[in-house]
Amino acid sequence: MHYVLLALLFALLIGFIAGLRAMTPLAVLAWGAMLGWINLAGVPHGAWSAWLGSIVAVVILSILAIGELVTDQLPKTPSRTVPAQFGARIVIGALAGAVIGTPFGHIFSAIGAGIIGAVLGTLGGSAGRGFLAAKFGKDLPAALIEDAVAVIGGFVIVYLAGASL
């Protein structure tokens, strides 16, 4: 029971990060796997996600995550709540949930928690950023705070997930 709750909690949280920044969860999971914070290869049924710990995955996913952080600041970037953006966040939340749930032995329940987290992160992040932007009188400070929460929060979640095993 203990591992089920941990898997669901960490999947929900990493899904929430996907709602804030779609590429960040996979990038931080890749870094965490490469640094040995979370074991994706040496667990039952972990072979499917072990590729995330490779240097190639770390580099590609980091470039994509940094690119998203930059393009998010552009005025023509569509809202995260439009169907394509929202859908991508749900899919990545599900994938990230499955990855973080794998070492706990609860892939499928973690998929559902990752999806719920992505929905909450997408809607909550949009509302929170709008609130902060209104308080600051401009969007950039709110966006940078959200970036920091996504990146730092993602690394903390992955580290704590690995430490909980």
Side-chain angles (χ1 to χ4, degrees), residues 14-27 61 64-65 68-69 80 85-86 88-93 96 150:
I14 203 72
F16 189 88
I17 299 300
L20 299 179
R21 294 289 177 270
M23 293 310 302
T24 299
L26 296 178
L61 291 169
L64 291 172
E68 181 184 24
L69 295 175
R80 74 185 83 198
Q85 295 278 349
F86 206 147
R89 290 165 195 273
I90 289 171
V91 169
I92 291 172

Side-chain angles (χ1 to χ4, degrees), residues 5-148:
L5 294 177
L6 286 174
L8 293 175
L9 173 64
F10 290 123
L12 181 77
L13 292 172
I14 203 72
F16 189 88
I17 299 300
L20 299 179
R21 294 289 177 270
M23 293 310 302
T24 299
L26 296 178
V28 298
L29 280 162
W31 276 99
M34 187 184 76
L35 294 171
W37 293 354
I38 190 164
N39 183 2
L40 299 177
V43 295
H45 310 293
W48 77 272
S49 61
W51 62 272
L52 270 175
S54 72
I55 189 68
V56 172
V58 169
V59 169
I60 291 170
L61 291 169
S62 295
I63 289 169
L64 291 172
I66 291 167
E68 181 184 24
L69 295 175
V70 171
T71 58
D72 181 62
Q73 312 305 321
L74 302 175
K76 295 206 184 241
T77 301
S79 168
R80 74 185 83 198
T81 59
V82 300
Q85 295 278 349
F86 206 147
R89 290 165 195 273
I90 289 171
V91 169
I92 291 172
L95 177 59
V99 170
I100 210 164
T102 295
F104 293 94
H106 296 282
I107 298 170
F108 296 108
S109 56
I111 290 170
I115 290 170
I116 292 167
V119 170
L120 294 173
T122 300
L123 299 176
S126 180
R129 181 167 167 178
F131 174 80
L132 288 175
K135 290 293 181 192
F136 287 122
K138 53 185 166 180
D139 185 60
L140 183 61
L144 295 176
I145 290 170
E146 187 179 18
D147 290 345

